Amino acid sequence: MTKIKEGLKKEIEDYVDNWHWDENSKKYAFEMGKFLFSFMDYLDDQNMSERTIRNYRGNIQLIGMFEISYGYNEEFHPENLEGEPSFIYEFERKVSDSKSAIQSYKSTWRKLDKYIKSGEYEKYLEQIEDKIKKI
């Protein structure tokens, strides 16, 4: 079990590695990373095509990176990611201004918003935290 714990923790740390610049932002990035991993687990359980899941996963990483870079939160809470799609301007400037890419990005935000508002995240986040804590 220790290998799973260390593996998942390391995987999350690697996922958010370029999202932080000091100890506070590192903690914030890790907490967001855990949450986004829980969202990815949730998506895996939704009976979607591999292509759809792959698109969501790419957008999820961008959402996390943009939230860390351009958001105004000092402590992570799932509610930080609620609401309308954010950072559209940044997405268009740094990633793509194609209609389909923007629509996919917005769709991921809406799916994430529903995940948070439904409360489903509590179960999935707890599973991630349990995997990290197990020895």
Side-chain angles (χ1 to χ4, degrees):
M1 286 295 175
T2 303
K3 191 171 187 174
I4 290 173
K5 172 186 167 186
E6 291 172 1
L8 180 58
K9 183 177 183 202
K10 174 114 174 68
E11 191 175 346
I12 294 169
E13 288 172 344
D14 289 348
Y15 188 79
V16 303
D17 187 48
N18 64 345
W19 294 2
H20 55 84
W21 51 90
D22 62 13
E23 282 306 310
N24 288 338
S25 64
K26 183 176 182 178
K27 181 179 179 196
Y28 185 96
F30 184 77
E31 292 302 313
M32 185 185 308
K34 283 193 314 188
F35 179 77
L36 294 176
F37 267 57
S38 78
F39 181 52
M40 289 186 273
D41 285 352
Y42 166 79
L43 292 174
D44 289 342
D45 289 346
Q46 297 307 300
N47 196 26
M48 291 185 271
S49 72
E50 285 296 317
R51 181 177 179 209
T52 300
I53 290 175
R54 194 172 43 251
N55 287 339
Y56 277 132
R57 285 178 179 261
N59 289 325
I60 290 165
Q61 189 165 27
L62 293 168
I63 288 168
M65 183 181 67
F66 289 151
E67 170 62 26
I68 290 285
S69 298
Y70 304 109
Y72 295 103
N73 299 298
E74 292 187 21
E75 191 173 300
F76 180 75
H77 302 282
E79 296 77 17
N80 296 2
L81 300 172
E82 268 185 341
E84 292 295 314
S86 298
F87 312 112
I88 304 300
Y89 173 78
E90 290 79 3
F91 182 87
E92 290 175 348
R93 279 195 67 231
K94 297 182 181 286
V95 181
S96 176
D97 63 355
S98 85
K99 279 190 168 188
S100 63
I102 294 166
Q103 193 58 34
S104 175
Y105 178 74
K106 287 179 177 180
S107 175
T108 304
W109 268 101
R110 287 189 296 274
K111 190 79 162 170
L112 182 59
D113 182 60
K114 287 179 185 173
Y115 174 66
I116 296 165
K117 288 180 177 169
S118 73
E120 283 285 315
Y121 76 88
E122 293 171 356
K123 174 178 84 172
Y124 285 91
L125 185 56
E126 186 177 326
Q127 290 171 358
I128 293 288
E129 290 173 344
D130 285 349
K131 287 178 188 176
I132 290 172
K133 288 178 187 175
K134 285 186 180 176
I135 296 174

